[in-house]
Amino acid sequence: MSGEANAAYSSKEHNYTMIQAFEWYSEGGGVHWKKLAKLAPELADIGITAMWFPPPTKAAGQDSVGYDVYDLYDLGEFDQKGGRRTKYGTKEELLEAVKKAKDNGIIMYVDAVLNHKFGADRTETFGVVEVDTDDRTKEISDLYDIKGWTGFDFPGRGNKYSSLKWNFNHFTGVDYNDETQKTSIYRIHGDGKSWAKGVDKENKNYDYLMGADIDHKHPEALQDIINWGKWILKELGPGAAGFRFDAVKHIDRSFIADFVKSIRADESVDRPKMFAVGEFWKDSLADLEEYLGALGTQFSVFDAPLHYNFKEAGDRGGDYDMRSIWDGTVVQKRPIDAVTLVDNHEQVGQALESWVSPAFKPLAYALILLRPSGYPCVFWGDLYGTAGPKGNPQQPVSQLGDLIRARKLYAYGEIRDYWDHMNCVGWIRTGDETRTGCAVVLCNGAEGFKRMEVGKEHANEKWTDVLGWCQGEITIGEDGWAQFKCSAQSVSVWVKKDAPGREEFGKQ
């Protein structure tokens, strides 16, 4: 489970919070690993306990974001594809960033791109059949030969770390015939070769996504990738605690299960509770549950249905019933397997674009950060802003750092919900033996009030909003109840006036 996985590799004694430590338009030029190392103390201070690093592996282009992976075993060490470094820096800088994060109590997750390869070193001739774009099980041509980019020799690396040279036998499909320059979906012909079975059923079979699609049934490909998983965790050191798997709905689930189980079971890797989260990006709880249920090992997914609920809530404003925000979500049905998020790099100018309204984002973040269910993931672009597509930068979410800090300091203990109005909801976190709790109110319409019980032990205490968006003090009654207010289309987080850590708020 996510909490156990974090506890195994982090000495932090407060709530766990992940950050996606990049955005699509992160600065290139090899500076990002150094930036993460520099920011580690600041991120740890506000309450970040884990960083999802961008793909550290060599891509087809030196300044690529990294999802067009070329060589899994090149972490910015070899002169390949335009140079030695990746977009984010050299291997030495990567190792230093992981170490610096770990020194500050932050673990890291590797972004594993295991579905495909790009940037082949040479073409090969092999037999294919074309398939229908909308029905990948339907052949639309006879068997014939094409020339495709499937030869991977890794001349800069040679045989270091792995001696496997990839060829067309290690792939199931490509989308380009170099001989005719025709783009189509070509399924590679071979004995027993077919699209993977355990994939999403969109287009009847969604094995093929892009590039040279890896055949995870091929014993050499299978073993090489599992070896890589063990190798990279050892190479990065004790700060590397798990993986974020890219595009898992296009990868046979049996391979993902084998990969995770194999690494957790290997004593030499020493990650028995390795964290694993997959990007199965689909607004369907049923499909996500089916996927999780078939793996046979603990695995987390990003809660895409929750993201789409946030988007709908932001788009509809006061017409949205906040009491339905959890409907059809992973965190409601399987909280132990849910990585909750508001946005990520895919939602800005990319194929999966569905940006949550900036006005609603503070409410959305309060919902994932200040409640006990799910493992929240903060988007880099929401904390620091994004460069944005085509010169369209996105501003950071106001005082998001304070909301993260509120999770670190106050979001503990029993939760008491007050969800009795479509536009104004609230809850109490009662705190624990050593930490005070908090009172949270959200309004997606006009200004609102919520009468809630914090407990008689707080009688006569003065509470204020740590965000400062609601001014004034609230005095807790003798009966332990008080009326907490919230400004229109906003959130308020009420805490005892002299609670530990109050002086750290409002510095953003």
Side-chain angles (χ1 to χ4, degrees):
M1 64 186 67
S2 56
E4 286 182 357
N6 276 281
Y9 301 107
S10 175
S11 60
K12 294 285 185 180
E13 295 181 353
H14 55 74
N15 284 323
Y16 302 119
T17 307
M18 183 197 319
I19 185 170
Q20 178 186 344
F22 67 103
E23 52 111 354
W24 198 268
Y25 305 95
S26 291
E27 185 178 0
V31 302
H32 196 67
W33 298 145
K34 290 184 282 190
K35 179 181 288 188
L36 292 187
K38 182 179 180 181
L39 287 173
E42 171 187 313
L43 291 168
D45 179 63
I46 63 173
I48 296 297
T49 58
M51 285 198 273
W52 153 19
F53 276 39
T57 45
K58 184 64 63 71
Q62 190 175 36
D63 285 312
S64 162
V65 175
Y67 293 100
D68 54 341
V69 65
Y70 166 69
D71 185 359
L72 290 172
Y73 287 94
D74 185 356
L75 305 180
E77 181 178 2
F78 305 101
D79 189 358
Q80 300 184 118
K81 297 302 171 185
R84 182 167 174 263
R85 66 163 178 83
T86 67
K87 172 180 179 175
Y88 308 106
T90 65
K91 180 179 180 179
E92 293 81 6
E93 290 161 347
L94 167 63
L95 294 175
E96 178 61 24
V98 175
K99 181 181 183 299
K100 188 68 176 292
K102 183 68 166 59
D103 289 346
N104 284 274
I106 300 175
I107 55 176
M108 67 84 68
Y109 306 134
V110 177
D111 200 331
V113 186
L114 308 179
N115 177 70
H116 50 260
K117 284 184 177 293
F118 275 87
D121 300 302
R122 55 186 169 81
T123 60
E124 298 179 298
T125 299
F126 46 88
V128 302
V129 292
E130 292 183 50
V131 300
D132 190 292
T133 301
D134 299 321
D135 181 355
R136 310 294 174 79
T137 66
K138 180 181 179 182
E139 298 179 2
I140 57 173
S141 79
D142 294 329
L143 174 66
Y144 69 99
D145 286 347
I146 68 166
K147 187 179 288 186
W149 289 93
T150 51
F152 290 80
D153 300 323
F154 315 116
R157 176 169 60 79
N159 292 328
K160 190 172 183 180
Y161 306 129
S162 170
S163 60
L164 182 64
K165 310 304 178 188
W166 291 63
N167 60 60
F168 71 89
N169 292 300
H170 299 114
F171 302 101
T172 58
V174 293
D175 64 357
Y176 184 71
N177 181 353
D178 192 67
E179 190 168 26
T180 63
Q181 299 185 6
K182 179 181 177 180
T183 298
S184 185
I185 299 178
Y186 302 96
R187 195 186 75 240
I188 297 174
H189 179 73
D191 290 341
K193 191 176 287 293
S194 63
W195 296 131
K197 300 294 191 294
V199 296
D200 189 51
K201 296 302 186 286
E202 187 176 344
N203 303 321
K204 296 296 180 70
N205 180 292
Y206 215 174
D207 181 7
Y208 188 82
L209 176 63
M210 62 177 75
D213 186 73
I214 294 173
D215 183 355
H216 297 96
K217 300 186 300 297
H218 194 291
E220 290 180 345
L222 170 67
Q223 194 58 56
D224 194 65
I225 296 175
I226 290 178
N227 289 345
W228 170 81
K230 298 175 180 180
W231 170 82
I232 194 170
L233 292 183
K234 294 177 183 178
E235 201 77 3
L236 296 178
F243 295 94
R244 177 266 184 188
F245 295 93
D246 184 58
V248 294
K249 71 180 182 179
H250 307 283
I251 301 173
D252 197 309
R253 64 193 63 176
S254 65
F255 163 76
I256 294 293
D258 288 345
F259 183 98
V260 172
K261 291 175 184 177
S262 179
I263 294 176
R264 286 176 178 162
D266 192 321
E267 293 183 1
S268 71
V269 181
D270 193 25
R271 304 292 198 283
K273 296 179 179 177
M274 180 193 79
F275 178 72
V277 59
E279 180 219 13
F280 193 115
W281 199 260
K282 194 170 187 180
D283 189 11
S284 169
L285 177 61
D287 287 352
L288 289 165
E289 282 200 287
E290 179 189 359
Y291 181 81
L292 291 169
L295 289 174
T297 188
Q298 197 286 320
F299 194 83
S300 298
V301 291
F302 292 102
D303 198 342
L306 179 62
H307 160 80
Y308 286 109
N309 284 1
F310 286 158
K311 174 169 172 51
E312 181 185 357
D315 291 347
R316 293 179 58 190
D319 291 333
Y320 184 85
D321 190 337
M322 289 292 292
R323 294 168 296 186
S324 65
I325 199 77
W326 308 115
D327 290 356
T329 64
V330 182
V331 72
Q332 181 187 59
K333 194 70 177 293
R334 299 179 66 130
I336 203 169
D337 299 324
V339 172
T340 53
L341 78 166
V342 178
D343 272 320
N344 66 24
H345 66 295
E346 298 278 17
Q347 272 64 65
V348 192
Q350 299 303 311
L352 303 177
E353 182 171 2
S354 57
W355 197 241
V356 173
S357 165
F360 190 77
K361 282 193 174 186
L363 286 72
Y365 272 109
L367 286 163
I368 69 170
L369 290 169
L370 302 179
R371 298 176 64 82
S373 295
Y375 180 11
C377 180
V378 174
F379 176 44
W380 177 277
D382 286 337
L383 186 60
Y384 293 113
T386 75
K390 300 176 182 177
N392 180 30
Q394 306 292 322
Q395 295 302 309
V397 175
S398 180
Q399 289 185 249
L400 178 53
D402 282 341
L403 283 169
I404 300 168
R405 189 183 297 277
R407 172 176 172 81
K408 170 186 173 180
L409 295 176
Y410 310 126
Y412 298 94
E414 176 190 348
I415 187 166
R416 298 175 186 158
D417 275 329
Y418 296 83
W419 290 59
D420 52 2
H421 191 282
M422 69 174 287
N423 299 126
C424 183
V425 298
W427 64 89
I428 298 291
R429 298 298 301 275
T430 60
D432 58 22
E433 296 82 2
T434 60
R435 288 167 289 213
T436 186
C438 59
V440 184
V441 185
L442 275 65
C443 290
N444 71 340
E447 179 183 46
F449 301 86
K450 192 65 62 178
R451 180 169 167 79
M452 302 188 291
E453 181 186 13
V454 298
K456 291 181 179 179
E457 66 273 19
H458 296 288
N460 300 314
E461 289 178 355
K462 306 291 187 183
W463 287 38
T464 58
D465 175 19
V466 296
L467 300 175
W469 297 348
C470 266
Q471 297 298 310
E473 296 179 352
I474 288 175
T475 302
I476 308 300
E478 293 285 351
D479 58 358
W481 288 74
Q483 183 163 274
F484 299 92
K485 60 183 179 178
C486 178
S487 301
Q489 298 181 340
S490 188
V491 56
S492 56
V493 183
W494 298 86
V495 173
K496 185 180 176 183
K497 187 177 181 180
D498 57 355
R502 286 299 303 264
E503 68 281 358
E504 297 299 323
F505 288 83
K507 293 183 177 179
Q508 280 187 300

